[in-house]
Amino acid sequence: GQQLNQSPQSMFIQEGEDVSMNCTSSSIFNTWLWYKQDPGEGPVLLIALYKAGELTSNGRLTAQFGITRKDSFLNISASIPSDVGIYFCAGRFSGGSQGNLIFGKGTKLSVKP
Amino acid sequence: GAVVSQHPSWVICKSGTSVKIECRSLDFQATTMFWYRQFPKQSLMLMATSNEGSKATYEQGVEKDKFLINHASLTLSTLTVTSAHPEDSSFYICSAAKGGLVTEAFFGQGTRLTVV
C-alpha cells in the first residue's frame, strides 16, 4: 500500500531557530498538504500544494512540492512558542480515490523560549 | 478557511451503548465528508467517505455495521458507534470538502470517545 515517511519524528528547538521537516512517498502524489494539530484539536490546514515544483508560503511557513512528486518539505522560520504542536504532511497519490488522503506520522515540535 | 464543527468534543459511554457524533459544515455546503480515527501519538486513519444522499464508502477493515454513517444533508454527517467496546475508545475527527475534492477539506475539532 501507499506509505508516507515523515521526518523527523520530533524536534526540540530554541525560540528563533528555523525548522525543517519533510515527507517522502513511495508513489507519485498529485497533492501535498501540511497540517498542524494542537492537543485535543483537529488538524488545521497550513499549506496546500498542487503542482510539482510549487513553492508556497504562509507567513513564516514555506512548503514545496518536490520535482519528483514523491516528496515535500515544510520550513518554519524564526520559530516562536506558539509553533508548538504536531505537524502532519498528507497527500493524495495519483490514481487514489478522492477521499484517500494519506497522512504522515507527524513531527512533534517543541520550542524552548 | 471554512468552519467545520464537530459535536460533542468528548463523550464517555458504557460498553454496549451507542454513541452519535455530529459533523457540521457551518458556512459551506459539503457534498463529501470524511471520518478519521486517531490513536494517541499516531496519525490519522481514514475510516470512511460520506457522500450526501448516498451510502458511505468504508475503508478496508472498517466495520460498516459498527460505524454507521449518515449524510442526510449538505451540512451534516453523523457517525454512530454502535455497541461500543473499550477498544473503540479513540479520537474521531471529521473533515468536510467544499467541492468534493479532499484538497479543499477542513477538519472539525475532533471527538474524544472513551468507552468504560
Side-chain angles (χ1 to χ4, degrees):
Chain A
Q2 307 301 324
Q3 292 186 349
L4 266 186
N5 296 310
Q6 184 172 351
S7 64
Q9 192 173 8
S10 62
M11 302 181 74
F12 297 85
I13 62 169
Q14 196 78 31
E15 182 178 0
E17 290 183 351
D18 296 342
V19 173
S20 184
M21 59 192 79
N22 69 83
C23 273
T24 59
S25 68
S26 55
S27 301
I28 291 176
F29 274 40
N30 56 26
T31 304
W32 282 100
L33 307 168
W34 285 92
Y35 289 89
K36 182 190 177 194
Q37 186 178 27
D38 291 327
E41 300 286 334
V44 174
L45 182 64
L46 299 174
I47 293 178
L49 303 162
Y50 302 104
K51 293 189 297 186
E54 181 179 356
L55 182 70
T56 299
S57 294
N58 178 6
R60 293 178 295 106
L61 279 62
T62 302
Q64 185 161 29
F65 193 140
I67 292 292
T68 65
R69 297 172 66 188
K70 291 185 176 182
D71 64 306
S72 176
F73 72 75
L74 173 70
N75 287 343
I76 305 173
S77 63
S79 58
I80 59 178
S82 61
D83 290 335
V84 166
I86 300 178
Y87 292 79
F88 289 100
C89 64
R92 182 162 65 96
F93 59 91
S94 298
S97 61
Q98 285 187 347
N100 202 349
L101 193 59
I102 300 170
F103 280 80
K105 294 188 176 182
T107 296
K108 184 177 181 180
L109 178 64
S110 301
V111 180
K112 185 178 180 181
Chain B
V3 180
V4 175
S5 178
Q6 200 171 328
H7 178 81
S9 296
W10 60 271
V11 57
I12 301 173
C13 71
K14 291 185 178 181
S15 289
T17 62
S18 295
V19 174
K20 180 185 285 188
I21 302 170
E22 294 185 347
C23 181
R24 295 180 184 272
S25 55
L26 298 185
D27 54 357
F28 67 99
Q29 292 184 329
T31 54
T32 307
M33 291 186 175
F34 308 94
W35 287 95
Y36 295 83
R37 184 173 181 177
Q38 186 178 32
F39 291 103
K41 298 183 181 181
Q42 295 198 18
S43 190
L44 286 78
M45 296 299 294
L46 180 66
M47 298 174 65
T49 302
S50 170
N51 297 298
E52 188 267 337
S54 64
K55 291 184 178 180
T57 303
Y58 290 81
E59 295 300 302
Q60 194 172 10
V62 178
E63 299 176 60
K64 51 184 73 175
D65 293 332
K66 180 164 189 61
F67 298 100
L68 300 179
I69 291 173
N70 184 283
H71 194 158
S73 77
L74 286 171
T75 59
L76 174 64
S77 175
T78 61
L79 168 68
T80 301
V81 182
T82 63
S83 187
H85 290 136
E87 56 264 32
D88 297 327
S89 298
S90 190
F91 194 55
Y92 293 87
I93 311 174
C94 72
S95 71
K98 276 186 172 181
L101 294 176
V102 70
T103 52
E104 295 296 326
F106 299 88
F107 284 84
Q109 67 268 45
T111 297
R112 170 72 59 194
L113 170 63
T114 302
V115 184
V116 297

